[in-house]
Amino acid sequence: MKKIIIFLTCLFMAVGCSCTNNKAKDAVEKYLNDYKGLSDNVLRDIDELVTKEELVDKQKDTYKEVIKRQYRDLMYTIENEKYDGDNANVTVKITVYDLYKAQTNASKYLNEHQDEFLTNGVYDGSKYLDYKLNKMRDIKDTISYTIVFKVIKVDRKWQVEQPDEETLEKIHGIYNYEKK
């Protein structure tokens, strides 16, 4: 009896393990959940991104807060999967904060209220960055996009291919939808 239980447990574990990434959509869900869960890799990428920006420490903290909020609050639904052998396209609808709108509105405000961003009569870019980052942090407007992720099977496991720049801009909420 004990051998049967051990055999069934091993069989269950083997079947369970082989099914964990058996569909292309599983790889996409993991990819997006890494953003939502602020995985170690995502946090490292955020730190690298913010470090490259010419910001003072307080601005860096605000920028990190903006990005983390964007990722945590990202919502998605898998809409479709299409397979072609070891290649698949997974269609996803995502909803993110419209940071593009926040940036555009901040730029318009700057153009209409330049005197608010002066220090001793000279344009102070730091004041504008504070303003823009605060608008990005406080935005509540969201936007939805449909994204098709390309997924490939490597060693019997589905993996999301590196998304193109437009897809990443949509995930980050900074895609310029007005250029269409």
Side-chain angles (χ1 to χ4, degrees):
M1 180 73 170
K2 190 174 184 179
K3 288 182 181 180
I4 293 174
I5 293 173
I6 292 172
F7 173 75
L8 290 175
T9 302
C10 290
L11 180 65
F12 176 75
M13 287 174 53
V15 170
C17 291
S18 66
C19 293
T20 58
N21 206 15
N22 214 14
K23 296 184 177 186
K25 75 174 189 169
D26 297 335
V28 173
E29 287 177 340
K30 182 188 178 328
Y31 180 82
L32 293 172
N33 286 336
D34 280 352
Y35 277 103
K36 287 182 65 64
L38 299 173
S39 73
D40 290 341
N41 289 338
V42 170
L43 289 174
R44 191 172 24 260
D45 289 347
I46 291 171
D47 285 340
E48 286 177 24
L49 172 72
V50 172
T51 300
K52 292 177 185 176
E53 298 294 324
E54 293 185 27
L55 304 170
V56 297
D57 287 343
K58 183 180 178 198
Q59 292 168 338
K60 287 180 182 182
D61 292 342
T62 303
Y63 193 30
K64 282 182 185 181
E65 184 182 329
V66 167
I67 297 169
K68 287 178 181 180
R69 176 178 174 250
Q70 179 72 295
Y71 294 168
R72 267 193 317 270
D73 294 352
L74 176 145
M75 294 182 289
Y76 70 89
T77 54
I78 306 288
E79 302 213 324
N80 190 15
E81 295 177 271
K82 289 187 181 176
Y83 291 89
D84 182 14
D86 288 346
N87 296 298
N89 288 329
V90 178
T91 304
V92 179
K93 180 180 178 184
I94 68 163
T95 303
V96 294
Y97 292 113
D98 192 351
L99 297 180
Y100 173 76
K101 181 179 182 179
Q103 291 174 340
T104 301
N105 289 345
S107 180
K108 287 177 186 174
Y109 189 85
L110 170 65
N111 289 333
E112 295 168 2
H113 302 91
Q114 292 179 0
D115 56 320
E116 292 181 30
F117 301 98
L118 301 177
T119 300
N120 298 326
V122 177
Y123 171 72
D124 187 339
S126 186
K127 280 185 178 181
Y128 173 67
L129 281 173
D130 287 339
Y131 177 82
K132 181 169 88 170
L133 288 168
N134 287 332
K135 291 299 176 189
M136 291 169 67
R137 182 193 63 213
D138 296 339
I139 193 159
K140 293 185 180 9
D141 296 346
T142 60
I143 189 159
S144 296
Y145 298 107
T146 299
I147 297 174
V148 178
F149 286 95
K150 294 178 183 175
V151 187
I152 58 171
K153 191 181 260 190
V154 177
D155 296 329
R156 298 184 306 185
K157 188 174 180 179
W158 290 100
Q159 297 176 359
V160 176
E161 288 187 355
Q162 176 63 37
D164 61 19
E165 186 174 336
E166 181 177 305
T167 297
L168 291 173
E169 287 176 354
K170 289 177 178 179
I171 293 170
H172 300 138
I174 59 171
Y175 176 68
N176 180 354
Y177 46 81
E178 295 177 332
K179 68 181 176 185
K180 288 184 178 182

